[in-house]
Amino acid sequence: MTNKKDNKKKTSQDEKNKKEESGFSSGKIIFVSAICAALCSYYLYKRLTTPPDPPVLDFNEYWGPYPMKMDPDLSIRPYEIEFSEVMVNDLRERLLHRRPFQPPLENSGFTYGFNSHFLTRVLDYWQNKYNFKEREQFFNKYNHYVTNIQGLDVHYMHVKPQVPDDIEVVPLLLLHGWPGSVREFYELIPKLTSPRDDYKFAFEIIAPSLPGFGFSQAPSRPGFGPVEMSVVLSNLMKRIGHNKYYIQGGDFGHMLGSILATLMPEQVLGFHTNMPVLMFHPLANIYMMLGSLWPSLLVEPEQQSRVYPYSQYLMRIIEESGYLHIQATKPDTVVKEPQTIYDFTVRDIHGREIKLDKYRGKVVVIVNVASQCGLTDTNYHQLNELHDKYARSRDLRILAFPCNQFGGQEPGTAKDIAKFISDRNVKFDVFEKVAVNGDDAHPLFQFLKRVQRGSFGDYIKWNYSKFIVDRNGVPVERFGPHVDPIDLEPSLAKYW
């Protein structure tokens, strides 16, 4: 009897000890888990809230085309926006002969993109009613300039207020968005440059076309992001003479202004934005997701319908931002017809790649040549004569493209052609042999024929057909093989 009681007592004690041990073990697990959770939370918090190391800025990085000029023109040059008769007539001609659009789906409006019925009305307005001369005058109401920054010609408007001496003039960098231009600021500028009775200052406006926008040159290679663009803008302000200034930026201009204010705070006196977003910060995304569960954590009740339900907001962004994804990730997918000869790259007679952008601002004659044609002696002699008379005095450039499509009269190799032009002391530029007609026609000649059609169709009739290209890079006149080069002088004089 006593043994049974002792055994029962011992069993009860063992169970009690096991419970205590189990409770102690659970407590340890909870304690250790709490410590781990706290450490992980602290790590995530620090990871999300600690600013990254600032990037190393290269204020001399070159973004222009190669070969790099050893002595570039760094002056500030006046710039005038021009809609010449040649440009306007070329545009109207293209609109007149454009292909018909695919009709939109019935009752679709603008759901699937720009409605082609409405686009037809827009193009008709441009072709027949748009007053280009009046618009040209409007754009030139403010002073425009261009200067070369890090290899890029950067355009900007510069408007100085006309105020008494007791009014402080404050420099303001106005940054437009994407897609956008300096046109956005025309109605705003008079308000900023005119002093108000209750303020003793007025703004001096510097409004650049961002590189790759409007009248500013685009970079020639990848890697030119918002930070690099901000460096160009900083150098622009220094070139103008402002080491300290205010900034206003909206849309993409907000991002650039934010970078300038963050990475170059010694230059930025103040930054104002009409698009204060934090869409690229991880915490912003976390807050937005939490707001889906508790909207009142983020926004006032009367504003909640603008953001939530978040799923609808995301779906709208996905549906309406297709253009953004294409242009930001695959810009070459967007078909862009060449507008000038500057859009082309060719190879010279030695096989070197040449961008025709190097002829920007010059009058150019483009001609298809052959070394064994009955017209060869006269044309080569007179083309040399034109070069001698006008290359220096009028910035004339002659571009000759050998072609073997007419009677097999240019059969030689590049080495043979190089020897031929060397023997004749040819001074103008000669390029590699190309096709000018047919499916294999060089893109440059496809462009030339499309813009300047011949008398009996756009195809080139024989060797020594000639195209005159104006200082804007636009083909403006075309001449047949039997027009001698020296007879082009009166026509060339119109474009000096």
Side-chain angles (χ1 to χ4, degrees):
M1 218 34 207
T2 303
N3 289 338
K4 285 183 179 180
K5 287 183 179 179
D6 290 341
N7 289 338
K8 189 174 183 180
K9 190 174 182 181
K10 185 177 180 181
T11 301
S12 176
Q13 185 64 39
D14 290 342
E15 289 176 355
K16 185 177 180 181
N17 290 338
K18 286 180 180 179
K19 288 182 180 178
E20 288 178 354
E21 289 176 4
S22 176
F24 180 70
S25 298
S26 299
K28 285 199 296 184
I29 292 173
I30 292 172
F31 178 75
V32 171
S33 298
I35 293 294
C36 291
L39 290 174
C40 290
S41 299
Y42 178 75
Y43 172 78
L44 288 173
Y45 174 79
K46 293 295 289 183
R47 182 74 180 268
L48 293 173
T49 58
T50 301
D53 294 332
V56 178
L57 303 180
D58 184 352
F59 286 85
N60 297 307
E61 191 169 6
Y62 183 79
W63 293 104
Y66 288 115
M68 187 187 303
K69 294 181 180 178
M70 294 296 100
D71 187 23
D73 181 3
L74 302 181
S75 64
I76 294 176
R77 311 184 299 276
Y79 184 86
E80 185 172 334
I81 296 172
E82 179 188 18
F83 299 142
S84 68
E85 284 190 22
V86 171
M87 295 168 63
V88 173
N89 290 336
D90 174 60
L91 175 61
R92 286 175 173 159
E93 188 74 14
R94 296 186 197 194
L95 294 175
L96 178 64
H97 296 289
R98 63 175 176 79
R99 295 177 180 177
F101 297 118
Q102 179 73 20
L105 296 177
E106 293 180 6
N107 303 318
S108 61
F110 287 79
T111 302
Y112 301 108
F114 205 94
N115 186 283
S116 55
H117 287 334
F118 190 84
L119 181 58
T120 300
R121 293 163 55 189
V122 173
L123 298 185
D124 178 70
Y125 175 74
W126 284 351
Q127 181 184 343
N128 301 308
K129 301 175 184 177
Y130 191 83
N131 192 328
F132 287 92
K133 188 54 63 178
E134 178 184 311
R135 211 58 179 167
E136 179 182 279
Q137 294 171 355
F138 171 80
F139 277 124
N140 288 314
K141 66 188 290 187
Y142 300 123
N143 292 325
H144 295 254
Y145 300 92
V146 169
T147 188
N148 193 273
I149 305 290
Q150 296 173 242
L152 301 177
D153 278 344
V154 178
H155 158 266
Y156 65 96
M157 290 194 306
H158 195 172
V159 186
K160 297 181 179 181
Q162 304 300 316
V163 295
D165 292 339
D166 61 336
I167 299 295
E168 182 183 3
V169 176
V170 180
L172 175 63
L173 177 63
L174 282 181
L175 300 177
H176 64 77
W178 171 74
S181 72
V182 295
R183 168 62 185 89
E184 301 169 9
F185 306 130
Y186 268 66
E187 286 76 20
L188 180 64
I189 287 175
K191 296 178 173 63
L192 295 173
T193 55
S194 302
R196 291 170 48 179
D197 294 338
D198 48 345
Y199 295 108
K200 287 294 184 181
F201 68 87
F203 288 107
E204 174 186 345
I205 302 300
I206 298 96
S209 296
L210 302 180
F213 292 73
F215 306 106
S216 286
Q217 188 177 357
S220 296
R221 59 197 58 85
F224 189 78
V227 172
E228 291 74 19
M229 190 178 292
S230 299
V231 169
V232 169
L233 296 174
S234 171
N235 284 333
L236 172 66
M237 294 302 285
K238 291 176 184 176
R239 176 76 54 81
I240 294 171
H242 293 305
N243 293 318
K244 294 180 181 294
Y245 45 89
Y246 291 88
I247 300 174
Q248 150 61 31
D251 192 79
F252 186 55
H254 156 80
M255 184 184 295
L256 298 173
S258 180
I259 291 171
L260 284 163
T262 302
L263 300 183
M264 306 164 211
E266 71 283 355
Q267 299 178 25
V268 180
L269 297 171
F271 171 45
H272 179 273
T273 177
N274 56 306
M275 189 178 168
V277 296
L278 291 172
M279 60 193 305
F280 299 111
H281 197 287
L283 279 178
N285 296 322
I286 291 173
Y287 288 148
M288 291 295 287
M289 296 299 292
L290 288 175
S292 297
L293 302 175
W294 298 287
S296 57
L297 286 176
L298 286 184
V299 293
E300 297 81 1
E302 60 272 16
Q303 306 293 338
Q304 290 178 14
S305 62
R306 297 187 178 186
V307 183
Y308 299 107
Y310 193 46
S311 58
Q312 293 182 11
Y313 173 76
L314 285 177
M315 288 304 297
R316 178 167 177 79
I317 290 221
I318 292 171
E319 182 179 345
E320 299 298 334
S321 60
Y323 77 96
L324 186 152
H325 293 292
I326 290 177
Q327 294 180 25
T329 61
K330 297 290 184 291
D332 289 346
T333 302
V334 181
V335 177
K336 173 181 176 289
E337 278 198 347
Q339 303 299 311
T340 69
I341 66 167
Y342 309 142
D343 296 322
F344 293 93
T345 299
V346 298
R347 292 187 181 277
D348 68 10
I349 195 61
H350 304 292
R352 296 171 297 202
E353 196 172 82
I354 304 294
K355 293 184 177 182
L356 296 189
D357 184 74
K358 69 177 286 188
Y359 299 103
R360 187 178 294 273
K362 305 180 188 304
V363 176
V364 175
V365 173
I366 299 177
V367 53
N368 61 300
V369 299
S371 58
Q372 298 178 15
C373 177
L375 302 173
T376 296
D377 289 342
T378 299
N379 275 269
Y380 265 95
H381 174 75
Q382 292 188 9
L383 287 170
N384 251 350
E385 187 178 345
L386 282 178
H387 176 87
D388 289 340
K389 289 177 69 174
Y390 299 117
R392 287 184 177 275
S393 63
R394 299 294 187 180
D395 262 350
L396 174 69
R397 295 295 182 269
I398 297 171
L399 282 54
F401 288 84
C403 176
N404 194 43
Q405 287 187 300
F406 306 103
Q409 296 177 351
E410 189 68 278
T413 64
K415 187 175 181 180
D416 296 330
I417 298 171
K419 184 177 186 308
F420 173 82
I421 63 176
S422 175
D423 292 343
R424 285 180 172 262
N425 195 27
V426 171
K427 300 173 184 176
F428 48 86
D429 296 339
V430 180
F431 296 85
E432 70 175 359
K433 186 158 58 174
V434 298
V436 297
N437 287 330
D439 294 338
D440 296 330
H442 191 282
L444 172 62
F445 278 86
Q446 293 179 22
F447 168 69
L448 293 171
K449 292 186 296 181
R450 176 170 60 81
V451 177
Q452 287 296 322
R453 298 174 61 86
S455 302
F456 302 102
D458 62 357
Y459 64 94
I460 290 177
K461 314 305 183 293
W462 197 251
N463 303 312
Y464 299 101
S465 292
K466 305 164 188 74
F467 295 86
I468 295 179
V469 179
D470 71 6
R471 294 182 183 273
N472 297 309
V474 178
V476 287
E477 294 193 45
R478 173 175 174 168
F479 299 88
H482 293 286
V483 176
D484 290 338
I486 207 68
D487 294 332
L488 300 180
E489 285 182 299
S491 296
L492 289 169
K494 296 186 291 187
Y495 307 106
W496 295 140

